Amino acid sequence: MRCRKCHNEVETGKIVCGNCRKKTPSRKKSKSKRRVTRRNERLEKNGVEIIPKVEATISNSEEKNVQLKGSQEQTEVVKDIQIQKNVDEPIKKVKNRKIVLFKGLLLFLFGVAIGIIGTINMSQKHAGEKIAVTVETIEASNETEQTESLLKTSMEQTKVSQKEEDIHETEEKEVKKKKGSSFMKELPNKIVENVKGLKGYYSYYLHDLSEPNGVSGSSKKMLSASTIKLFILENAFFQVKADKLVLDEPYELLEEDKVPGTGDIQNAEEGTVYTTEELLNLMIIDSDNTATNVIIDRLGGIEEISDYILDRGYRDTILARKMGDTTAISEGKDNYTSVDDVGELMTKLAEKKLIGEEEDRQMLEILSKGKNHDKLANSISDKMKIYCKSGEYSDFGVQNDTLLVEGPEGSYILTVMSENGDESEQISILQTIGKEAYELMLKR
């Protein structure tokens, strides 16, 4: 058998002799070199630093040297092998990065899968609960079907009844509204007819409290007589609310306090003790002049009260003198008001919007005890609640009266003022006006 290269004889079964085999490079090795070259080029493009490869080929003779006992040659061979391992590190790093990315992708997909499974489980659980609730609802509805049917019928009947009640109530309100408006329209005409041809001057104010506003006729500044005491009472409770006046504060009566006219304090002994509250009651209930003058002083005097009246917006009301002061009258000083001002005060008091709810209640309590019911309140039933204050000064032909009437048929305010008239004639006409107002209210 001859060698295919040198044609020398070779051992049986071999194609190339040993010398030719050494000279011919391995095809595998050449392919490996080309592969490494291409790989290094790719790594350089990707910015990977390439460490030059150090050949560490070990020949047959070197293999023999490895078996030598000398430690130096063994160390050199080991170093050569370590160098070969370090050269392959960049390639391993790239492979490791790919492996890490692949593992990360797997973990991400695994997480997504877990999330989807959890969502499906929650949906199924919710659907199960919903089904359970639906089943319970169906069972409950089956159990109460008869009851609901009965309730539905009952509710329908109740709605029909409620509608009928609402219609009836609306009709009643409309009727009351018409009657209320007739009270406001008819009474002024009756008043005008009643005072026609009489001596003196008359003015009136009336307010059906179911209506937003009152009406007045011939209102102007007129002599107030004791009607001015309403404004003094208002100022007193204004100061009570402001803690400037104490209702239970005592006062010892002096001889110089006593004045003639209405009231009994003028007959009391000097040194008699009265509280502020008692003096206010006497000023309104008995129209006591002496009590009124003491209250004026306790409130700060005429100027203080006059400033209050002005600040409150009463256009026609003036306090210019004390009660029974004939000297001031001779000098042309007197007290004035109008049906508009009195009507405004009484309306706010009735609505508890004058000073304060508690103060207004106390004032109404005092006015409810007024004793003079001989004028506008003469024909009103005792079943009605009456709050009133009259005023008269016969020397000047003055007869005034104001009242608030409250009852089941309705509530109203009526004020009439007259001056320069005949006393008997004035009182008679006031009684007539009061009776007609009350009868009109009863028709509501």
Side-chain angles (χ1 to χ4, degrees):
M1 199 68 182
R2 293 184 178 277
C3 176
R4 292 177 62 179
K5 298 285 185 179
C6 62
H7 303 286
N8 291 329
E9 290 185 4
V10 293
E11 295 178 4
T12 304
K14 292 193 178 184
I15 299 172
V16 182
C17 65
N19 293 328
C20 292
R21 188 183 294 115
K22 290 180 182 179
K23 293 178 181 179
T24 304
S26 174
R27 293 180 67 185
K28 291 183 179 179
K29 288 183 179 181
S30 62
K31 286 182 180 179
S32 176
K33 286 182 179 180
R34 289 196 300 272
R35 202 180 295 119
V36 170
T37 302
R38 287 196 300 271
R39 182 183 59 204
N40 289 343
E41 289 176 355
R42 285 197 303 272
L43 290 174
E44 285 178 358
K45 287 181 181 180
N46 293 329
V48 179
E49 184 179 357
I50 304 300
I51 300 173
K53 185 175 180 180
V54 178
E55 294 292 338
T57 305
I58 303 173
S59 62
N60 291 331
S61 60
E62 287 173 343
E63 288 177 1
K64 294 179 182 179
N65 291 334
V66 172
Q67 296 175 1
L68 295 176
K69 295 180 181 179
S71 60
Q72 184 175 356
E73 290 180 0
Q74 289 178 2
T75 303
E76 287 178 358
V77 172
V78 172
K79 284 182 179 179
D80 288 342
I81 295 170
Q82 288 176 349
I83 289 170
Q84 179 66 37
K85 289 181 180 179
N86 290 336
V87 168
D88 292 335
E89 266 189 18
I91 300 169
K92 289 183 180 179
K93 284 182 181 178
V94 173
K95 288 182 179 179
N96 290 338
R97 188 181 296 122
K98 289 182 179 179
I99 292 169
V100 169
L101 290 173
F102 180 70
K103 287 182 178 179
L105 180 61
L106 287 177
L107 288 173
F108 172 74
L109 293 174
F110 181 70
V112 172
I114 291 174
I116 292 171
I117 293 169
T119 304
I120 292 169
N121 290 336
M122 289 295 292
S123 299
Q124 290 176 348
K125 184 179 178 181
H126 180 68
E129 291 176 354
K130 191 172 182 181
I131 291 168
V133 172
T134 306
V135 171
E136 289 177 3
T137 306
I138 291 169
E139 289 175 355
S141 64
N142 289 334
E143 290 175 359
T144 59
E145 187 175 2
Q146 252 185 332
T147 306
E148 284 182 356
S149 178
L150 292 172
L151 285 173
K152 186 177 180 182
T153 304
S154 176
M155 287 175 68
E156 286 175 355
Q157 292 175 351
T158 304
K159 285 180 180 179
V160 172
S161 177
Q162 185 65 41
K163 284 181 180 179
E164 290 175 355
E165 287 180 5
D166 291 342
I167 292 169
H168 183 65
E169 187 177 349
T170 304
E171 289 175 352
E172 282 186 349
K173 285 182 179 179
E174 289 296 326
V175 171
K176 283 185 178 181
K177 188 174 180 182
K178 288 179 181 178
K179 287 183 178 179
S181 61
S182 67
F183 172 87
M184 299 287 283
K185 290 178 181 178
E186 290 182 34
L187 188 56
N189 294 332
K190 289 180 177 292
I191 293 172
V192 171
E193 288 296 322
N194 287 328
V195 300
K196 188 182 290 184
L198 296 180
K199 181 184 176 182
Y201 186 89
Y202 290 82
S203 62
Y204 67 87
Y205 174 94
L206 61 97
H207 188 184
D208 177 1
L209 292 176
S210 65
E211 299 287 334
N213 300 306
V215 297
S216 63
S218 304
S219 180
K220 71 170 187 175
K221 183 171 66 175
M222 300 172 67
L223 289 170
S224 66
S226 290
T227 311
I228 194 70
K229 294 169 185 176
L230 286 169
F231 300 91
I232 298 171
L233 179 70
E234 179 187 338
N235 182 240
F237 277 93
F238 176 81
Q239 294 198 27
V240 167
K241 185 176 182 180
D243 295 327
K244 294 181 179 179
L245 185 69
V246 180
L247 291 176
D248 59 359
E249 185 178 353
Y251 177 78
E252 289 187 10
L253 182 67
L254 302 176
E255 192 65 33
E256 56 264 30
D257 293 332
K258 300 177 182 181
V259 293
T262 54
D264 294 329
I265 293 183
Q266 58 184 309
N267 302 320
E269 294 183 3
E270 184 178 11
T272 303
V273 177
Y274 299 92
T275 64
T276 301
E277 186 174 10
E278 289 173 337
L279 292 170
L280 289 171
N281 275 271
L282 290 168
M283 178 180 73
I284 299 299
I285 297 170
D286 294 334
S287 198
D288 195 294
N289 286 341
T290 301
T292 302
N293 289 347
V294 173
I295 289 294
I296 288 173
D297 290 336
R298 305 209 85 176
L299 295 177
I302 291 174
E303 290 186 5
E304 183 75 18
I305 300 171
S306 296
D307 290 341
Y308 171 82
I309 291 170
L310 186 64
D311 291 341
R312 296 288 283 186
Y314 297 118
R315 296 176 299 176
D316 302 318
T317 303
I318 298 171
L319 178 66
R321 63 170 178 85
K322 287 186 175 182
M323 307 300 109
D325 189 352
T326 54
T327 303
I329 293 173
S330 63
E331 294 175 354
K333 297 177 182 179
D334 217 328
N335 302 323
Y336 296 89
T337 190
S338 67
V339 292
D340 277 348
D341 284 359
V342 175
E344 181 184 347
L345 184 152
M346 294 295 286
T347 298
K348 288 181 178 178
L349 187 58
E351 295 172 347
K352 293 184 174 59
K353 296 178 180 179
L354 189 62
I355 301 299
E357 188 171 351
E358 177 58 25
E359 291 75 20
D360 292 353
R361 185 196 63 77
Q362 289 177 288
M363 282 187 277
L364 286 169
E365 181 65 24
I366 294 172
L367 287 169
S368 69
K369 299 173 184 176
K371 293 179 178 179
N372 191 345
H373 288 190
D374 296 333
K375 299 176 186 177
L376 294 174
N378 185 64
S379 300
I380 298 176
S381 170
D382 294 337
K383 295 179 181 179
M384 307 293 281
K385 189 74 173 177
I386 301 172
Y387 310 87
C388 63
K389 181 69 190 83
S390 65
E392 53 274 332
Y393 198 176
S394 300
D395 293 347
F396 293 89
V398 175
Q399 291 293 332
N400 302 329
D401 199 13
T402 183
L403 54 80
L404 162 65
V405 180
E406 291 180 346
E409 293 82 6
S411 301
Y412 64 93
I413 292 167
L414 177 61
T415 302
V416 178
M417 295 180 65
S418 62
E419 62 183 9
N420 299 323
D422 179 76
E423 182 177 355
S424 61
E425 193 176 61
Q426 289 169 306
I427 292 174
S428 176
I429 205 65
L430 287 174
Q431 290 174 349
T432 301
I433 293 171
K435 181 180 179 181
E436 291 176 345
Y438 178 57
E439 288 175 349
L440 283 171
M441 186 57 62
L442 289 178
K443 293 179 181 178
R444 288 170 56 83

